[in-house]
Structure formats: structure tokens, C-alpha cells
């Protein structure tokens, strides 16, 4: 399983919190690439409820990881 910013972006509007099956259903209905669905299928724990993309991809960058000043724009 691998995640990129582009792949993770397809789950930004997912109905969090969600189970593995709910995320797979959302990804397929929203037209996410096959890689996103394959990543979700690779999750071993079927019963766990995920609160956000960070539960799936712990290294998901937050706004603090980007080096720009929002006040300038």
C-alpha cells in the first residue's frame, strides 16, 4: 500500500469517520483511481473505524508542513 498527496486527495471529502467498506464504497462512487481502491482493500482490519486520512496514512502532511504564510495571499 502506498499513498501520495494526489491519491489521498480523493478521500478528503469522504464521510469521516468511516469503516473500510464505507471508504471503498465512497472511493468507487466518487470516481477515485483504482490505486486508491486497491490501497483501501489492502487494509487488514475490516472492523476498525477511521477518523481521518491520518489513520490510514500516518505521514499525511498537515498544513503546518507547508512553508507559506497564508496571510500574504
Amino acid at each position: 500500500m502506498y499513498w501520495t498527496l494526489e491519491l489521498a486527495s480523493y478521500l478528503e471529502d469522504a464521510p469521516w469517520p468511516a469503516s473500510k467498506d464505507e471508504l471503498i464504497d465512497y472511493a468507487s462512487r466518487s470516481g477515485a483511481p483504482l490505486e486508491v481502491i486497491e490501497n483501501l482493500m489492502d487494509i487488514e482490519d475490516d472492523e476498525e473505524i477511521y477518523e481521518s486520512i491520518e489513520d490510514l496514512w500516518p505521514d499525511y502532511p498537515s498544513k503546518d508542513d507547508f512553508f507559506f504564510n497564508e496571510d500574504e495571499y
Side-chain angles (χ1 to χ4, degrees), residues 3-16 18 20 22-28 30 32-33 35-37 39-40 43 50-54 56-57 60:
W3 289 101
T4 64
L5 287 175
E6 180 182 0
L7 294 178
S9 71
Y10 287 96
L11 296 178
E12 285 180 355
D13 294 330
W16 303 105
K20 172 185 172 179
E22 290 171 331
L23 290 172
I24 292 171
D25 181 56
Y26 173 80
S28 62
S30 65
E35 291 88 352
V36 173
I37 297 169
N39 283 347
L40 294 170
I43 298 171
Y50 301 96
E51 297 294 325
S52 67
I53 187 65
E54 286 88 1
L56 300 174
W57 183 24
Y60 183 75

PDB file of all heavy atoms in Angstrom, residues 3-16 18 20 22-28 30 32-33 35-37 39-40 43 50-54 56-57 60:
ATOM      1  N   TRP A   3       0.676   5.679  -0.532  1.00  0.00           N
ATOM      2  CA  TRP A   3      -0.164   6.869  -0.678  1.00  0.00           C
ATOM      3  C   TRP A   3       0.675   8.014  -1.215  1.00  0.00           C
ATOM      4  O   TRP A   3       1.858   8.121  -0.913  1.00  0.00           O
ATOM      5  CB  TRP A   3      -0.761   7.285   0.670  1.00  0.00           C
ATOM      6  CG  TRP A   3      -1.800   6.343   1.161  1.00  0.00           C
ATOM      7  CD1 TRP A   3      -1.640   5.375   2.104  1.00  0.00           C
ATOM      8  CD2 TRP A   3      -3.144   6.255   0.718  1.00  0.00           C
ATOM      9  NE1 TRP A   3      -2.812   4.701   2.282  1.00  0.00           N
ATOM     10  CE2 TRP A   3      -3.761   5.216   1.446  1.00  0.00           C
ATOM     11  CE3 TRP A   3      -3.901   6.954  -0.208  1.00  0.00           C
ATOM     12  CZ2 TRP A   3      -5.087   4.863   1.266  1.00  0.00           C
ATOM     13  CZ3 TRP A   3      -5.227   6.602  -0.388  1.00  0.00           C
ATOM     14  CH2 TRP A   3      -5.810   5.562   0.344  1.00  0.00           C
ATOM     15  N   THR A   4       0.057   8.830  -2.023  1.00  0.00           N
ATOM     16  CA  THR A   4       0.651  10.084  -2.471  1.00  0.00           C
ATOM     17  C   THR A   4      -0.366  11.177  -2.149  1.00  0.00           C
ATOM     18  O   THR A   4      -1.524  10.882  -1.833  1.00  0.00           O
ATOM     19  CB  THR A   4       0.918  10.077  -3.993  1.00  0.00           C
ATOM     20  OG1 THR A   4      -0.338   9.984  -4.677  1.00  0.00           O
ATOM     21  CG2 THR A   4       1.829   8.929  -4.395  1.00  0.00           C
ATOM     22  N   LEU A   5       0.068  12.414  -2.236  1.00  0.00           N
ATOM     23  CA  LEU A   5      -0.872  13.512  -1.994  1.00  0.00           C
ATOM     24  C   LEU A   5      -2.045  13.468  -2.966  1.00  0.00           C
ATOM     25  O   LEU A   5      -3.186  13.728  -2.592  1.00  0.00           O
ATOM     26  CB  LEU A   5      -0.156  14.850  -2.099  1.00  0.00           C
ATOM     27  CG  LEU A   5       0.766  15.201  -0.942  1.00  0.00           C
ATOM     28  CD1 LEU A   5       1.508  16.503  -1.229  1.00  0.00           C
ATOM     29  CD2 LEU A   5      -0.024  15.324   0.344  1.00  0.00           C
ATOM     30  N   GLU A   6      -1.763  13.122  -4.207  1.00  0.00           N
ATOM     31  CA  GLU A   6      -2.831  13.063  -5.207  1.00  0.00           C
ATOM     32  C   GLU A   6      -3.841  11.970  -4.864  1.00  0.00           C
ATOM     33  O   GLU A   6      -5.047  12.197  -4.906  1.00  0.00           O
ATOM     34  CB  GLU A   6      -2.249  12.808  -6.595  1.00  0.00           C
ATOM     35  CG  GLU A   6      -3.311  12.732  -7.669  1.00  0.00           C
ATOM     36  CD  GLU A   6      -2.751  12.422  -9.048  1.00  0.00           C
ATOM     37  OE1 GLU A   6      -1.532  12.267  -9.200  1.00  0.00           O
ATOM     38  OE2 GLU A   6      -3.571  12.319  -9.962  1.00  0.00           O
ATOM     39  N   LEU A   7      -3.354  10.781  -4.493  1.00  0.00           N
ATOM     40  CA  LEU A   7      -4.271   9.693  -4.150  1.00  0.00           C
ATOM     41  C   LEU A   7      -5.063  10.020  -2.888  1.00  0.00           C
ATOM     42  O   LEU A   7      -6.270   9.797  -2.823  1.00  0.00           O
ATOM     43  CB  LEU A   7      -3.501   8.385  -3.961  1.00  0.00           C
ATOM     44  CG  LEU A   7      -2.838   7.805  -5.207  1.00  0.00           C
ATOM     45  CD1 LEU A   7      -2.065   6.540  -4.861  1.00  0.00           C
ATOM     46  CD2 LEU A   7      -3.858   7.528  -6.299  1.00  0.00           C
ATOM     47  N   ALA A   8      -4.400  10.567  -1.885  1.00  0.00           N
ATOM     48  CA  ALA A   8      -5.079  10.904  -0.629  1.00  0.00           C
ATOM     49  C   ALA A   8      -6.125  11.993  -0.839  1.00  0.00           C
ATOM     50  O   ALA A   8      -7.131  12.038  -0.128  1.00  0.00           O
ATOM     51  CB  ALA A   8      -4.059  11.330   0.411  1.00  0.00           C
ATOM     52  N   SER A   9      -5.907  12.853  -1.814  1.00  0.00           N
ATOM     53  CA  SER A   9      -6.857  13.950  -2.047  1.00  0.00           C
ATOM     54  C   SER A   9      -8.236  13.434  -2.440  1.00  0.00           C
ATOM     55  O   SER A   9      -9.237  14.121  -2.232  1.00  0.00           O
ATOM     56  CB  SER A   9      -6.323  14.905  -3.115  1.00  0.00           C
ATOM     57  OG  SER A   9      -6.349  14.295  -4.393  1.00  0.00           O
ATOM     58  N   TYR A  10      -8.311  12.232  -2.997  1.00  0.00           N
ATOM     59  CA  TYR A  10      -9.612  11.669  -3.365  1.00  0.00           C
ATOM     60  C   TYR A  10     -10.441  11.300  -2.142  1.00  0.00           C
ATOM     61  O   TYR A  10     -11.646  11.079  -2.252  1.00  0.00           O
ATOM     62  CB  TYR A  10      -9.431  10.435  -4.261  1.00  0.00           C
ATOM     63  CG  TYR A  10      -8.985  10.798  -5.648  1.00  0.00           C
ATOM     64  CD1 TYR A  10      -7.640  10.770  -6.001  1.00  0.00           C
ATOM     65  CD2 TYR A  10      -9.905  11.193  -6.606  1.00  0.00           C
ATOM     66  CE1 TYR A  10      -7.231  11.109  -7.273  1.00  0.00           C
ATOM     67  CE2 TYR A  10      -9.510  11.538  -7.885  1.00  0.00           C
ATOM     68  CZ  TYR A  10      -8.169  11.498  -8.211  1.00  0.00           C
ATOM     69  OH  TYR A  10      -7.763  11.845  -9.467  1.00  0.00           O
ATOM     70  N   LEU A  11      -9.815  11.228  -0.960  1.00  0.00           N
ATOM     71  CA  LEU A  11     -10.537  10.876   0.258  1.00  0.00           C
ATOM     72  C   LEU A  11     -10.774  12.074   1.170  1.00  0.00           C
ATOM     73  O   LEU A  11     -11.299  11.917   2.271  1.00  0.00           O
ATOM     74  CB  LEU A  11      -9.767   9.792   1.020  1.00  0.00           C
ATOM     75  CG  LEU A  11      -9.626   8.454   0.305  1.00  0.00           C
ATOM     76  CD1 LEU A  11      -8.795   7.490   1.146  1.00  0.00           C
ATOM     77  CD2 LEU A  11     -10.988   7.852  -0.002  1.00  0.00           C
ATOM     78  N   GLU A  12     -10.399  13.266   0.739  1.00  0.00           N
ATOM     79  CA  GLU A  12     -10.574  14.450   1.582  1.00  0.00           C
ATOM     80  C   GLU A  12     -12.027  14.679   1.969  1.00  0.00           C
ATOM     81  O   GLU A  12     -12.325  15.084   3.086  1.00  0.00           O
ATOM     82  CB  GLU A  12     -10.026  15.697   0.875  1.00  0.00           C
ATOM     83  CG  GLU A  12      -8.531  15.771   0.881  1.00  0.00           C
ATOM     84  CD  GLU A  12      -8.023  17.021   0.185  1.00  0.00           C
ATOM     85  OE1 GLU A  12      -8.840  17.778  -0.388  1.00  0.00           O
ATOM     86  OE2 GLU A  12      -6.808  17.237   0.218  1.00  0.00           O
ATOM     87  N   ASP A  13     -12.944  14.436   1.063  1.00  0.00           N
ATOM     88  CA  ASP A  13     -14.361  14.680   1.328  1.00  0.00           C
ATOM     89  C   ASP A  13     -15.113  13.415   1.731  1.00  0.00           C
ATOM     90  O   ASP A  13     -16.346  13.396   1.719  1.00  0.00           O
ATOM     91  CB  ASP A  13     -15.028  15.290   0.091  1.00  0.00           C
ATOM     92  CG  ASP A  13     -14.484  16.676  -0.217  1.00  0.00           C
ATOM     93  OD1 ASP A  13     -14.089  17.372   0.732  1.00  0.00           O
ATOM     94  OD2 ASP A  13     -14.447  17.047  -1.398  1.00  0.00           O
ATOM     95  N   ALA A  14     -14.367  12.379   2.085  1.00  0.00           N
ATOM     96  CA  ALA A  14     -15.003  11.120   2.495  1.00  0.00           C
ATOM     97  C   ALA A  14     -15.825  11.337   3.768  1.00  0.00           C
ATOM     98  O   ALA A  14     -15.558  12.274   4.525  1.00  0.00           O
ATOM     99  CB  ALA A  14     -13.937  10.056   2.731  1.00  0.00           C
ATOM    100  N   PRO A  15     -16.802  10.499   4.004  1.00  0.00           N
ATOM    101  CA  PRO A  15     -17.661  10.659   5.183  1.00  0.00           C
ATOM    102  C   PRO A  15     -16.977  10.157   6.458  1.00  0.00           C
ATOM    103  O   PRO A  15     -17.282   9.082   6.956  1.00  0.00           O
ATOM    104  CB  PRO A  15     -18.882   9.808   4.831  1.00  0.00           C
ATOM    105  CG  PRO A  15     -18.339   8.736   3.939  1.00  0.00           C
ATOM    106  CD  PRO A  15     -17.246   9.397   3.155  1.00  0.00           C
ATOM    107  N   TRP A  16     -16.022  10.930   6.956  1.00  0.00           N
ATOM    108  CA  TRP A  16     -15.304  10.530   8.175  1.00  0.00           C
ATOM    109  C   TRP A  16     -16.201  10.708   9.383  1.00  0.00           C
ATOM    110  O   TRP A  16     -16.970  11.659   9.408  1.00  0.00           O
ATOM    111  CB  TRP A  16     -14.041  11.387   8.347  1.00  0.00           C
ATOM    112  CG  TRP A  16     -13.111  11.320   7.195  1.00  0.00           C
ATOM    113  CD1 TRP A  16     -12.933  12.293   6.266  1.00  0.00           C
ATOM    114  CD2 TRP A  16     -12.237  10.258   6.818  1.00  0.00           C
ATOM    115  NE1 TRP A  16     -12.007  11.908   5.337  1.00  0.00           N
ATOM    116  CE2 TRP A  16     -11.566  10.648   5.654  1.00  0.00           C
ATOM    117  CE3 TRP A  16     -11.970   9.007   7.346  1.00  0.00           C
ATOM    118  CZ2 TRP A  16     -10.634   9.840   5.016  1.00  0.00           C
ATOM    119  CZ3 TRP A  16     -11.040   8.211   6.707  1.00  0.00           C
ATOM    120  CH2 TRP A  16     -10.383   8.631   5.561  1.00  0.00           C
ATOM    121  N   ALA A  18     -15.284   6.601   9.152  1.00  0.00           N
ATOM    122  CA  ALA A  18     -15.797   5.601   8.219  1.00  0.00           C
ATOM    123  C   ALA A  18     -15.065   4.284   8.394  1.00  0.00           C
ATOM    124  O   ALA A  18     -13.907   4.253   8.808  1.00  0.00           O
ATOM    125  CB  ALA A  18     -15.640   6.102   6.786  1.00  0.00           C
ATOM    126  N   LYS A  20     -13.696   0.567   6.633  1.00  0.00           N
ATOM    127  CA  LYS A  20     -13.015   0.200   5.393  1.00  0.00           C
ATOM    128  C   LYS A  20     -14.018   0.074   4.249  1.00  0.00           C
ATOM    129  O   LYS A  20     -13.810   0.629   3.167  1.00  0.00           O
ATOM    130  CB  LYS A  20     -12.268  -1.119   5.604  1.00  0.00           C
ATOM    131  CG  LYS A  20     -11.669  -1.715   4.358  1.00  0.00           C
ATOM    132  CD  LYS A  20     -11.050  -3.060   4.634  1.00  0.00           C
ATOM    133  CE  LYS A  20     -10.614  -3.748   3.366  1.00  0.00           C
ATOM    134  NZ  LYS A  20      -9.986  -5.044   3.626  1.00  0.00           N
ATOM    135  N   GLU A  22     -17.016   1.372   3.930  1.00  0.00           N
ATOM    136  CA  GLU A  22     -17.595   2.674   3.589  1.00  0.00           C
ATOM    137  C   GLU A  22     -16.628   3.499   2.745  1.00  0.00           C
ATOM    138  O   GLU A  22     -17.043   4.177   1.801  1.00  0.00           O
ATOM    139  CB  GLU A  22     -17.962   3.437   4.852  1.00  0.00           C
ATOM    140  CG  GLU A  22     -19.132   2.839   5.601  1.00  0.00           C
ATOM    141  CD  GLU A  22     -19.355   3.466   6.958  1.00  0.00           C
ATOM    142  OE1 GLU A  22     -18.381   3.945   7.581  1.00  0.00           O
ATOM    143  OE2 GLU A  22     -20.514   3.474   7.402  1.00  0.00           O
ATOM    144  N   LEU A  23     -15.337   3.431   3.072  1.00  0.00           N
ATOM    145  CA  LEU A  23     -14.343   4.175   2.291  1.00  0.00           C
ATOM    146  C   LEU A  23     -14.203   3.609   0.879  1.00  0.00           C
ATOM    147  O   LEU A  23     -14.085   4.365  -0.089  1.00  0.00           O
ATOM    148  CB  LEU A  23     -12.993   4.167   3.010  1.00  0.00           C
ATOM    149  CG  LEU A  23     -12.938   4.995   4.290  1.00  0.00           C
ATOM    150  CD1 LEU A  23     -11.624   4.753   5.028  1.00  0.00           C
ATOM    151  CD2 LEU A  23     -13.121   6.472   3.988  1.00  0.00           C
ATOM    152  N   ILE A  24     -14.223   2.294   0.761  1.00  0.00           N
ATOM    153  CA  ILE A  24     -14.156   1.669  -0.570  1.00  0.00           C
ATOM    154  C   ILE A  24     -15.376   2.068  -1.393  1.00  0.00           C
ATOM    155  O   ILE A  24     -15.259   2.423  -2.567  1.00  0.00           O
ATOM    156  CB  ILE A  24     -14.023   0.135  -0.453  1.00  0.00           C
ATOM    157  CG1 ILE A  24     -12.652  -0.231   0.127  1.00  0.00           C
ATOM    158  CG2 ILE A  24     -14.234  -0.538  -1.802  1.00  0.00           C
ATOM    159  CD1 ILE A  24     -12.500  -1.694   0.487  1.00  0.00           C
ATOM    160  N   ASP A  25     -16.553   2.040  -0.773  1.00  0.00           N
ATOM    161  CA  ASP A  25     -17.784   2.438  -1.459  1.00  0.00           C
ATOM    162  C   ASP A  25     -17.711   3.897  -1.903  1.00  0.00           C
ATOM    163  O   ASP A  25     -18.039   4.233  -3.042  1.00  0.00           O
ATOM    164  CB  ASP A  25     -18.984   2.215  -0.534  1.00  0.00           C
ATOM    165  CG  ASP A  25     -20.292   2.577  -1.194  1.00  0.00           C
ATOM    166  OD1 ASP A  25     -20.589   2.021  -2.276  1.00  0.00           O
ATOM    167  OD2 ASP A  25     -21.016   3.431  -0.644  1.00  0.00           O
ATOM    168  N   TYR A  26     -17.255   4.771  -1.006  1.00  0.00           N
ATOM    169  CA  TYR A  26     -17.127   6.189  -1.348  1.00  0.00           C
ATOM    170  C   TYR A  26     -16.147   6.386  -2.504  1.00  0.00           C
ATOM    171  O   TYR A  26     -16.430   7.131  -3.456  1.00  0.00           O
ATOM    172  CB  TYR A  26     -16.668   6.996  -0.128  1.00  0.00           C
ATOM    173  CG  TYR A  26     -16.358   8.427  -0.478  1.00  0.00           C
ATOM    174  CD1 TYR A  26     -17.370   9.359  -0.622  1.00  0.00           C
ATOM    175  CD2 TYR A  26     -15.048   8.835  -0.719  1.00  0.00           C
ATOM    176  CE1 TYR A  26     -17.099  10.668  -0.978  1.00  0.00           C
ATOM    177  CE2 TYR A  26     -14.765  10.136  -1.074  1.00  0.00           C
ATOM    178  CZ  TYR A  26     -15.792  11.052  -1.205  1.00  0.00           C
ATOM    179  OH  TYR A  26     -15.507  12.338  -1.577  1.00  0.00           O
ATOM    180  N   ALA A  27     -14.989   5.723  -2.421  1.00  0.00           N
ATOM    181  CA  ALA A  27     -13.969   5.882  -3.465  1.00  0.00           C
ATOM    182  C   ALA A  27     -14.486   5.416  -4.818  1.00  0.00           C
ATOM    183  O   ALA A  27     -14.258   6.074  -5.835  1.00  0.00           O
ATOM    184  CB  ALA A  27     -12.704   5.112  -3.076  1.00  0.00           C
ATOM    185  N   SER A  28     -15.196   4.309  -4.840  1.00  0.00           N
ATOM    186  CA  SER A  28     -15.701   3.815  -6.127  1.00  0.00           C
ATOM    187  C   SER A  28     -16.813   4.711  -6.677  1.00  0.00           C
ATOM    188  O   SER A  28     -16.870   4.957  -7.876  1.00  0.00           O
ATOM    189  CB  SER A  28     -16.172   2.369  -6.000  1.00  0.00           C
ATOM    190  OG  SER A  28     -17.238   2.266  -5.093  1.00  0.00           O
ATOM    191  N   SER A  30     -17.151   7.934  -6.097  1.00  0.00           N
ATOM    192  CA  SER A  30     -16.653   9.266  -6.429  1.00  0.00           C
ATOM    193  C   SER A  30     -15.683   9.269  -7.610  1.00  0.00           C
ATOM    194  O   SER A  30     -15.189  10.318  -7.997  1.00  0.00           O
ATOM    195  CB  SER A  30     -15.978   9.896  -5.209  1.00  0.00           C
ATOM    196  OG  SER A  30     -14.826   9.163  -4.850  1.00  0.00           O
ATOM    197  N   ALA A  32     -12.678   7.664  -7.826  1.00  0.00           N
ATOM    198  CA  ALA A  32     -11.261   7.654  -7.449  1.00  0.00           C
ATOM    199  C   ALA A  32     -10.507   6.641  -8.303  1.00  0.00           C
ATOM    200  O   ALA A  32     -11.089   5.644  -8.756  1.00  0.00           O
ATOM    201  CB  ALA A  32     -11.117   7.300  -5.970  1.00  0.00           C
ATOM    202  N   PRO A  33      -9.229   6.868  -8.533  1.00  0.00           N
ATOM    203  CA  PRO A  33      -8.437   5.925  -9.328  1.00  0.00           C
ATOM    204  C   PRO A  33      -8.383   4.542  -8.665  1.00  0.00           C
ATOM    205  O   PRO A  33      -8.571   4.395  -7.453  1.00  0.00           O
ATOM    206  CB  PRO A  33      -7.042   6.552  -9.343  1.00  0.00           C
ATOM    207  CG  PRO A  33      -7.223   7.955  -8.935  1.00  0.00           C
ATOM    208  CD  PRO A  33      -8.459   8.015  -8.109  1.00  0.00           C
ATOM    209  N   GLU A  35      -5.926   2.801  -7.877  1.00  0.00           N
ATOM    210  CA  GLU A  35      -4.894   2.715  -6.844  1.00  0.00           C
ATOM    211  C   GLU A  35      -5.459   3.041  -5.457  1.00  0.00           C
ATOM    212  O   GLU A  35      -5.062   2.435  -4.466  1.00  0.00           O
ATOM    213  CB  GLU A  35      -3.717   3.647  -7.146  1.00  0.00           C
ATOM    214  CG  GLU A  35      -2.882   3.234  -8.330  1.00  0.00           C
ATOM    215  CD  GLU A  35      -3.404   3.806  -9.647  1.00  0.00           C
ATOM    216  OE1 GLU A  35      -4.508   4.412  -9.671  1.00  0.00           O
ATOM    217  OE2 GLU A  35      -2.724   3.631 -10.661  1.00  0.00           O
ATOM    218  N   VAL A  36      -6.381   3.992  -5.387  1.00  0.00           N
ATOM    219  CA  VAL A  36      -6.996   4.358  -4.108  1.00  0.00           C
ATOM    220  C   VAL A  36      -7.809   3.180  -3.584  1.00  0.00           C
ATOM    221  O   VAL A  36      -7.703   2.799  -2.416  1.00  0.00           O
ATOM    222  CB  VAL A  36      -7.886   5.617  -4.251  1.00  0.00           C
ATOM    223  CG1 VAL A  36      -8.647   5.891  -2.967  1.00  0.00           C
ATOM    224  CG2 VAL A  36      -7.060   6.819  -4.662  1.00  0.00           C
ATOM    225  N   ILE A  37      -8.599   2.581  -4.446  1.00  0.00           N
ATOM    226  CA  ILE A  37      -9.429   1.443  -4.044  1.00  0.00           C
ATOM    227  C   ILE A  37      -8.549   0.260  -3.641  1.00  0.00           C
ATOM    228  O   ILE A  37      -8.823  -0.416  -2.645  1.00  0.00           O
ATOM    229  CB  ILE A  37     -10.419   1.083  -5.164  1.00  0.00           C
ATOM    230  CG1 ILE A  37     -11.366   2.267  -5.392  1.00  0.00           C
ATOM    231  CG2 ILE A  37     -11.189  -0.190  -4.836  1.00  0.00           C
ATOM    232  CD1 ILE A  37     -12.215   2.175  -6.623  1.00  0.00           C
ATOM    233  N   ASN A  39      -5.511   0.427  -2.410  1.00  0.00           N
ATOM    234  CA  ASN A  39      -4.928   0.763  -1.106  1.00  0.00           C
ATOM    235  C   ASN A  39      -5.925   0.492   0.014  1.00  0.00           C
ATOM    236  O   ASN A  39      -5.553  -0.035   1.066  1.00  0.00           O
ATOM    237  CB  ASN A  39      -4.496   2.228  -1.058  1.00  0.00           C
ATOM    238  CG  ASN A  39      -3.210   2.487  -1.789  1.00  0.00           C
ATOM    239  OD1 ASN A  39      -2.479   1.574  -2.153  1.00  0.00           O
ATOM    240  ND2 ASN A  39      -2.923   3.749  -2.025  1.00  0.00           N
ATOM    241  N   LEU A  40      -7.166   0.852  -0.201  1.00  0.00           N
ATOM    242  CA  LEU A  40      -8.185   0.622   0.817  1.00  0.00           C
ATOM    243  C   LEU A  40      -8.452  -0.873   1.006  1.00  0.00           C
ATOM    244  O   LEU A  40      -8.672  -1.338   2.128  1.00  0.00           O
ATOM    245  CB  LEU A  40      -9.473   1.357   0.450  1.00  0.00           C
ATOM    246  CG  LEU A  40      -9.378   2.884   0.463  1.00  0.00           C
ATOM    247  CD1 LEU A  40     -10.625   3.503  -0.141  1.00  0.00           C
ATOM    248  CD2 LEU A  40      -9.134   3.409   1.867  1.00  0.00           C
ATOM    249  N   ILE A  43      -6.104  -2.772   3.446  1.00  0.00           N
ATOM    250  CA  ILE A  43      -6.237  -2.575   4.888  1.00  0.00           C
ATOM    251  C   ILE A  43      -6.662  -3.900   5.507  1.00  0.00           C
ATOM    252  O   ILE A  43      -7.616  -4.535   5.049  1.00  0.00           O
ATOM    253  CB  ILE A  43      -7.271  -1.473   5.208  1.00  0.00           C
ATOM    254  CG1 ILE A  43      -6.823  -0.136   4.633  1.00  0.00           C
ATOM    255  CG2 ILE A  43      -7.493  -1.378   6.714  1.00  0.00           C
ATOM    256  CD1 ILE A  43      -7.886   0.944   4.711  1.00  0.00           C
ATOM    257  N   TYR A  50     -12.145   4.539  10.962  1.00  0.00           N
ATOM    258  CA  TYR A  50     -11.080   5.505  10.709  1.00  0.00           C
ATOM    259  C   TYR A  50     -11.645   6.910  10.834  1.00  0.00           C
ATOM    260  O   TYR A  50     -12.677   7.225  10.248  1.00  0.00           O
ATOM    261  CB  TYR A  50     -10.471   5.267   9.327  1.00  0.00           C
ATOM    262  CG  TYR A  50      -9.901   3.866   9.225  1.00  0.00           C
ATOM    263  CD1 TYR A  50     -10.639   2.835   8.668  1.00  0.00           C
ATOM    264  CD2 TYR A  50      -8.643   3.577   9.728  1.00  0.00           C
ATOM    265  CE1 TYR A  50     -10.132   1.542   8.606  1.00  0.00           C
ATOM    266  CE2 TYR A  50      -8.132   2.298   9.672  1.00  0.00           C
ATOM    267  CZ  TYR A  50      -8.880   1.287   9.108  1.00  0.00           C
ATOM    268  OH  TYR A  50      -8.375   0.014   9.067  1.00  0.00           O
ATOM    269  N   GLU A  51     -10.961   7.740  11.582  1.00  0.00           N
ATOM    270  CA  GLU A  51     -11.419   9.106  11.850  1.00  0.00           C
ATOM    271  C   GLU A  51     -11.009  10.093  10.762  1.00  0.00           C
ATOM    272  O   GLU A  51     -11.666  11.099  10.558  1.00  0.00           O
ATOM    273  CB  GLU A  51     -10.880   9.587  13.202  1.00  0.00           C
ATOM    274  CG  GLU A  51     -11.371   8.778  14.380  1.00  0.00           C
ATOM    275  CD  GLU A  51     -12.867   8.906  14.607  1.00  0.00           C
ATOM    276  OE1 GLU A  51     -13.413  10.002  14.368  1.00  0.00           O
ATOM    277  OE2 GLU A  51     -13.485   7.909  15.012  1.00  0.00           O
ATOM    278  N   SER A  52      -9.884   9.813  10.082  1.00  0.00           N
ATOM    279  CA  SER A  52      -9.380  10.725   9.048  1.00  0.00           C
ATOM    280  C   SER A  52      -8.336  10.008   8.213  1.00  0.00           C
ATOM    281  O   SER A  52      -7.955   8.873   8.509  1.00  0.00           O
ATOM    282  CB  SER A  52      -8.761  11.976   9.685  1.00  0.00           C
ATOM    283  OG  SER A  52      -7.601  11.616  10.390  1.00  0.00           O
ATOM    284  N   ILE A  53      -7.848  10.682   7.190  1.00  0.00           N
ATOM    285  CA  ILE A  53      -6.818  10.105   6.326  1.00  0.00           C
ATOM    286  C   ILE A  53      -5.546   9.809   7.119  1.00  0.00           C
ATOM    287  O   ILE A  53      -4.799   8.896   6.780  1.00  0.00           O
ATOM    288  CB  ILE A  53      -6.533  11.022   5.105  1.00  0.00           C
ATOM    289  CG1 ILE A  53      -5.591  10.366   4.094  1.00  0.00           C
ATOM    290  CG2 ILE A  53      -5.975  12.349   5.559  1.00  0.00           C
ATOM    291  CD1 ILE A  53      -6.138   9.151   3.411  1.00  0.00           C
ATOM    292  N   GLU A  54      -5.306  10.542   8.203  1.00  0.00           N
ATOM    293  CA  GLU A  54      -4.111  10.303   9.018  1.00  0.00           C
ATOM    294  C   GLU A  54      -4.124   8.915   9.644  1.00  0.00           C
ATOM    295  O   GLU A  54      -3.068   8.355   9.927  1.00  0.00           O
ATOM    296  CB  GLU A  54      -3.963  11.359  10.116  1.00  0.00           C
ATOM    297  CG  GLU A  54      -3.516  12.715   9.612  1.00  0.00           C
ATOM    298  CD  GLU A  54      -4.690  13.601   9.193  1.00  0.00           C
ATOM    299  OE1 GLU A  54      -5.873  13.160   9.306  1.00  0.00           O
ATOM    300  OE2 GLU A  54      -4.441  14.720   8.741  1.00  0.00           O
ATOM    301  N   LEU A  56      -5.093   6.277   8.075  1.00  0.00           N
ATOM    302  CA  LEU A  56      -4.665   5.386   7.001  1.00  0.00           C
ATOM    303  C   LEU A  56      -3.222   5.647   6.587  1.00  0.00           C
ATOM    304  O   LEU A  56      -2.487   4.726   6.250  1.00  0.00           O
ATOM    305  CB  LEU A  56      -5.568   5.568   5.781  1.00  0.00           C
ATOM    306  CG  LEU A  56      -7.045   5.287   5.986  1.00  0.00           C
ATOM    307  CD1 LEU A  56      -7.822   5.662   4.732  1.00  0.00           C
ATOM    308  CD2 LEU A  56      -7.265   3.833   6.330  1.00  0.00           C
ATOM    309  N   TRP A  57      -2.848   6.921   6.570  1.00  0.00           N
ATOM    310  CA  TRP A  57      -1.513   7.335   6.147  1.00  0.00           C
ATOM    311  C   TRP A  57      -0.960   8.260   7.225  1.00  0.00           C
ATOM    312  O   TRP A  57      -1.162   9.480   7.172  1.00  0.00           O
ATOM    313  CB  TRP A  57      -1.597   8.047   4.801  1.00  0.00           C
ATOM    314  CG  TRP A  57      -0.296   8.462   4.209  1.00  0.00           C
ATOM    315  CD1 TRP A  57       0.937   7.926   4.449  1.00  0.00           C
ATOM    316  CD2 TRP A  57      -0.094   9.510   3.250  1.00  0.00           C
ATOM    317  NE1 TRP A  57       1.887   8.570   3.703  1.00  0.00           N
ATOM    318  CE2 TRP A  57       1.283   9.545   2.964  1.00  0.00           C
ATOM    319  CE3 TRP A  57      -0.928  10.408   2.621  1.00  0.00           C
ATOM    320  CZ2 TRP A  57       1.831  10.446   2.066  1.00  0.00           C
ATOM    321  CZ3 TRP A  57      -0.379  11.294   1.730  1.00  0.00           C
ATOM    322  CH2 TRP A  57       0.978  11.315   1.446  1.00  0.00           C
ATOM    323  N   TYR A  60       0.673  11.651   6.469  1.00  0.00           N
ATOM    324  CA  TYR A  60      -0.063  12.630   5.677  1.00  0.00           C
ATOM    325  C   TYR A  60       0.319  14.040   6.133  1.00  0.00           C
ATOM    326  O   TYR A  60       0.235  14.354   7.317  1.00  0.00           O
ATOM    327  CB  TYR A  60      -1.570  12.424   5.836  1.00  0.00           C
ATOM    328  CG  TYR A  60      -2.410  13.357   4.998  1.00  0.00           C
ATOM    329  CD1 TYR A  60      -2.526  13.165   3.632  1.00  0.00           C
ATOM    330  CD2 TYR A  60      -3.087  14.425   5.574  1.00  0.00           C
ATOM    331  CE1 TYR A  60      -3.303  14.008   2.859  1.00  0.00           C
ATOM    332  CE2 TYR A  60      -3.864  15.272   4.804  1.00  0.00           C
ATOM    333  CZ  TYR A  60      -3.968  15.059   3.448  1.00  0.00           C
ATOM    334  OH  TYR A  60      -4.732  15.911   2.681  1.00  0.00           O
TER     335      TYR A  60
END
